[in-house]
Amino acid sequence: MKKWILLLALFALPTGISAQECDVPKIGAQVFIEPGQMPDDIDCFFRILRDNGLKVARVRMFGAHMYRDGKWNFDLYDEAFRAAERYGIRLFATLFPLTDELTDVGGFKFPSSKRHLAEVDEYVTQVVTHFRKFPALWAWVLQNEPGTGGVRIQETDLSREVYAAWEASRRPSEYDNGYLKADFRQEEFLTFYTIWYLRHIADLVTRLDPEHGRHINPHQILSTLPDYDFTAYRKFLTSLGVSMHLSWHFGMFTTPEYPVGVSLMADIIRANACGNPFWVTELQGGNVTASGAVPYCPTAAHTAQYLWVSLAAGAEGVIFWTLNQRAAVQEAGEWGLLDFQRHPSDRLRAAAEVASVVERYGDAFRRLRPVDAPVTLLYNVESIRIQRRNAETLVSKEPGRQADAVMKSLATAYMAISSWGVTPAVEDMKRFDWTSGAGRVAVIPNMVSLPSDCWNGIRQFVASGGKLIVTGLSGFYDENMYCLFMNGFPLASCFGAEVSEFKVAGDRFSLGGDLTAHLWRGILCPTEAVPERTDHGEIVETRHRFGAGEVVWIPSPIELGSYHDDTAMAQLAAFYGQEIRTALDTLPAVFETAEAGVLMRTMQDGKGSLLTVVVNKRDKEAVVPLKLQRKGDPEVIFGDKAAYTAGQLHLAPDSCVVLLWP
């Protein structure tokens, strides 16, 4: 077997060093470099960054621009690196091997052959060796937006060889109940092949340049999560990022919900950074015309909202896509923070104002960290894969049967809990700390699979004092698409009940009078659990004490029943508010009541300082009473200076305020 295949054994290497960690969060933008630009053009772009307080930039290192007529020429990009140095801008350099520059906007995800892999290696060697000497360089982005969204791997001589080695190294699962198992090898290989290719690039970059950071920016993460193994990436990355293009990646959110979407995606990436710094590597900077699934141009107010939410989520920095628009071919004239005359747009001026506030209050931001959430929403990739598999051949349009039903449920639970002024943590069940549940709440919202390797953890979490809330079709399958509700539910003693069956009850239907569910009514047979809710004479919710903790179980899709329905969402928020009340009371700042359309994120330090970012997405003023674990008035460091009075927030429509509590 070829020597390069031996890279498969390198996953035991020590974890990467921490890099791209800022003393104060940084804001920046992509500077798009392309043939036709003159040195004065490039100088102008970096000077604009400096003049607006933006201190970091990203540059896509187009191999097609550097290798022409059989020769390497780096002059165009040398100008960019020298200009960045002149103006004190640090650079994220995105490796972008030779591809069709006219049609391939995002770059290929895997080499097309072993010969192509050798060409990629030559590109990486040439580019890293040349640019590693420039003082402006901060980090290498190993690949732009890895992940295919579940698209299966094209069979090539390279993929066949890696697949054969992977298949030979796989160990059979210890869990086997004797029934047929669904075949997810192609999906699992996609995850592995992504690790393999990123690791291959990372190893080459590290050998050539061990001094600079290594970074990637997953995209469309609410649908591409199964493509990634973030634990494996921790071994060779020094930071993790995310692309957030409202026009491309926010299809399950309405425009007023975009700040919540930013918050959710930031929380997912922060958890998956596994202790490394995390960045918002791409945030939509401007208008789209021909590209993007949804036509959208952020306003200045929106730009500030997305920035503050990202920073309050703990991001080391935010980089806009883009400062200057690409001038030719696909995406020409789109996405930019500048107008066509290279004047700062209202969006750039808003970003500059946020950057100025962060710099001015740098001492505070050096210490502030997101408040640990006492409530965690749990997901697993098996549920996403199974839901996607089931949806492949459907022609019906019911939301509960679509590929995004699992993550849409999680997003809706996130919005309902967030309406109380607390942002829940979001974590993969495989990495969640199940060992001690005392004082903690975990929610499993319509995760159609409960993999066997989580069962003992669930039991331990509840028995040790944790509260578990389970909704929807959670646990319908194990990881192999075996229906767990048949032949004895393995968590019956912990949950105190079993599912009798599910009945189709309508697109949206009332569940016991004060909750709305979607499509299926799950009927429970309690063994030891106490019935909490009935509907049509059947038990649809139970509560069970197990050890020192408890399980609340509603096997009907209440999140999907509340999705984009104001009345149903208010009911869902009330349900969660009641169930997590004890956890809410431990937090330094929350809302007194559920506040639809208002988002608050909180940070604190070890010296008692508190920072709250509050966004009002209502189309009218919001008066929001706060429940505070402190006395005294805050300083409004961004937004309306009169926004806080005597324990209440007075928020203008579509506005953001940032309060610093000393």
Side-chain angles (χ1 to χ4, degrees):
M1 189 170 291
K2 303 296 183 183
K3 288 184 178 180
W4 54 265
I5 284 291
L6 295 179
L7 291 173
L8 297 170
L10 291 178
F11 291 99
L13 289 180
T15 59
I17 58 171
S18 179
Q20 301 94 252
E21 189 167 9
C22 309
D23 58 344
V24 176
K26 308 295 184 192
I27 298 172
Q30 175 91 20
V31 175
F32 202 97
I33 304 299
E34 58 185 326
Q37 292 173 345
M38 303 302 291
D40 285 349
D41 298 321
I42 296 171
D43 182 271
C44 172
F45 298 141
F46 285 96
R47 185 176 67 251
I48 290 171
L49 287 176
R50 191 274 315 273
D51 291 348
N52 286 276
L54 276 58
K55 298 185 176 182
V56 62
R58 187 164 168 238
V59 174
R60 181 176 289 183
M61 312 294 286
F62 279 94
H65 298 168
M66 303 177 191
Y67 188 75
R68 294 179 182 270
D69 301 323
K71 296 180 180 179
W72 291 95
N73 185 326
F74 303 112
D75 291 350
L76 181 65
Y77 288 82
D78 287 349
E79 288 290 344
F81 277 69
R82 285 194 290 264
E85 182 182 357
R86 274 196 299 276
Y87 296 109
I89 308 297
R90 304 299 303 277
L91 292 179
F92 280 62
T94 303
L95 296 172
F96 205 80
L98 279 74
T99 187
D100 183 353
E101 62 182 322
L102 297 180
T103 62
D104 190 358
V105 175
F108 58 83
K109 304 310 175 187
F110 302 103
S112 60
S113 64
K114 288 193 280 188
R115 178 178 177 180
H116 189 201
L117 179 65
E119 293 171 356
V120 171
D121 290 350
E122 174 63 14
Y123 159 85
V124 172
T125 300
Q126 291 286 343
V127 170
V128 173
T129 301
H130 180 82
F131 288 98
R132 65 189 178 189
K133 63 181 185 247
F134 283 88
L137 178 64
W138 199 0
W140 295 103
V141 182
L142 302 179
Q143 184 183 40
N144 178 63
E145 297 185 339
T148 70
V151 177
R152 295 189 176 187
I153 301 297
Q154 181 181 359
E155 188 173 336
T156 68
D157 59 347
L158 176 63
S159 66
R160 282 195 300 269
E161 198 161 317
V162 177
Y163 183 88
W166 171 72
E167 184 72 35
S169 67
R170 295 179 72 211
R171 296 180 180 178
S173 172
E174 296 180 2
Y175 166 67
D176 188 348
N177 62 5
Y179 285 87
L180 291 176
K181 298 179 180 179
D183 185 357
F184 288 104
R185 283 178 297 177
Q186 288 299 320
E187 290 88 343
E188 292 168 3
F189 178 62
L190 169 59
T191 304
F192 178 83
Y193 200 26
T194 303
I195 301 169
W196 182 88
Y197 184 49
L198 291 173
R199 184 67 188 245
H200 178 88
I201 300 170
D203 287 342
L204 179 54
V205 169
T206 303
R207 289 197 297 272
L208 297 169
D209 181 11
E211 301 301 319
H212 292 102
R214 298 172 300 279
H215 181 90
I216 58 171
N217 58 310
H219 67 300
Q220 194 80 41
I221 59 170
L222 296 185
S223 59
T224 60
L225 274 171
D227 292 11
Y228 308 119
D229 185 337
F230 295 103
T231 302
Y233 302 162
R234 179 68 175 86
K235 294 177 168 58
F236 55 83
L237 295 180
T238 56
S239 66
L240 182 66
V242 61
S243 286
M244 292 194 203
H245 293 302
L246 298 312
S247 286
W248 279 124
H249 304 153
F250 281 58
M252 69 174 58
F253 302 102
T254 63
T255 304
E257 294 168 348
Y258 282 177
V260 179
V262 171
S263 182
L264 171 59
M265 293 185 193
D267 282 335
I268 291 174
I269 289 298
R270 177 161 63 99
N272 282 305
C274 302
N276 269 335
F278 95 90
W279 286 68
V280 178
T281 321
E282 292 188 25
L283 178 65
Q284 182 166 346
N287 189 57
V288 295
T289 52
S291 61
V294 176
Y296 176 67
C297 181
T299 66
H302 296 170
T303 298
Q305 292 165 15
Y306 307 149
L307 279 173
W308 280 119
V309 169
S310 298
L311 298 178
E316 298 290 332
V318 179
I319 303 175
F320 285 96
W321 180 273
T322 58
L323 176 71
N324 56 306
Q325 300 91 335
R326 183 174 185 167
V329 298
Q330 288 196 24
E331 295 193 346
E334 300 184 82
W335 303 103
L337 287 170
L338 300 178
D339 68 14
F340 294 154
Q341 288 72 46
R342 297 184 184 172
H343 300 144
S345 66
D346 56 351
R347 302 175 302 281
L348 179 52
R349 292 193 295 272
E353 183 181 0
V354 174
S356 174
V357 172
V358 173
E359 186 70 20
R360 190 160 65 251
Y361 290 88
D363 288 343
F365 279 98
R366 286 184 181 92
R367 302 188 303 268
L368 289 164
R369 299 292 181 270
V371 170
D372 291 333
V375 181
T376 302
L377 296 174
L378 298 172
Y379 68 88
N380 59 73
V381 298
E382 289 85 355
S383 290
I384 304 172
R385 284 175 177 159
I386 289 173
Q387 188 70 23
R388 185 183 289 161
R389 176 73 61 85
N390 282 340
E392 284 177 353
T393 58
L394 289 177
V395 294
S396 58
K397 300 299 183 183
E398 293 87 357
R401 287 154 58 87
Q402 301 306 305
D404 64 358
V406 166
M407 296 308 285
K408 188 176 287 183
S409 300
L410 182 140
T412 305
Y414 187 93
M415 286 188 275
I417 295 172
S418 294
S419 68
W420 289 94
V422 54
T423 45
V426 185
E427 198 161 347
D428 189 326
M429 293 176 69
K430 299 295 178 66
R431 286 205 309 277
F432 182 66
D433 179 12
W434 297 105
T435 56
S436 177
R440 301 167 67 202
V441 180
V443 181
I444 303 178
N446 195 39
M447 293 296 127
V448 297
S449 171
L450 289 182
S452 58
D453 56 4
C454 293
W455 298 346
N456 284 336
I458 290 172
R459 296 185 189 101
Q460 184 175 358
F461 175 80
V462 178
S464 61
K467 183 171 189 175
L468 185 66
I469 303 171
V470 185
T471 71
L473 272 65
S474 294
F476 195 96
Y477 303 102
D478 64 6
E479 63 266 40
N480 302 316
M481 292 186 74
Y482 167 79
C483 181
L484 290 176
F485 297 137
M486 301 173 64
N487 306 314
F489 181 45
L491 292 168
S493 62
C494 179
F495 286 24
E498 296 197 47
V499 171
S500 168
E501 62 176 335
F502 293 92
K503 294 181 180 180
V504 173
D507 177 48
R508 293 179 195 260
F509 61 94
S510 175
L511 191 71
D514 59 351
L515 278 176
T516 302
H518 166 67
L519 204 55
W520 300 286
R521 178 188 297 110
I523 303 164
L524 289 166
C525 296
T527 53
E528 299 177 85
V530 177
E532 286 279 302
R533 183 187 306 266
T534 60
D535 190 71
H536 287 69
E538 296 168 320
I539 298 170
V540 294
E541 178 185 358
T542 57
R543 185 182 305 271
H544 179 54
R545 296 293 302 180
F546 181 75
E550 68 174 344
V551 177
V552 177
W553 193 7
I554 304 180
S556 301
I558 56 175
E559 284 82 18
L560 292 176
S562 304
Y563 179 71
H564 290 167
D565 182 305
D566 292 345
T567 300
M569 180 61 86
Q571 294 173 337
L572 185 68
F575 164 77
Y576 275 117
Q578 177 181 339
E579 295 298 336
I580 68 173
R581 185 74 259 172
T582 301
L584 290 178
D585 289 342
T586 67
L587 295 172
V590 293
F591 298 154
E592 287 277 8
T593 58
E595 300 289 346
V598 183
L599 173 71
M600 182 167 75
R601 293 209 63 123
T602 304
M603 306 181 83
Q604 64 183 2
D605 65 14
K607 298 183 178 181
S609 293
L610 197 70
L611 180 132
T612 50
V613 172
V614 190
V615 178
N616 175 28
K617 295 303 291 184
R618 299 176 188 172
D619 57 6
K620 58 184 178 182
E621 182 188 29
V623 179
V624 180
L626 290 180
K627 186 174 184 178
L628 298 165
Q629 302 287 348
R630 62 173 57 231
K631 296 181 180 179
D633 291 340
E635 178 185 2
V636 179
I637 65 173
F638 181 88
D640 183 0
K641 299 300 183 184
Y644 178 82
T645 306
Q648 286 189 331
L649 292 168
H650 297 263
L651 307 169
D654 202 16
S655 68
C656 176
V657 296
V658 182
L659 304 97
L660 183 62
W661 310 74

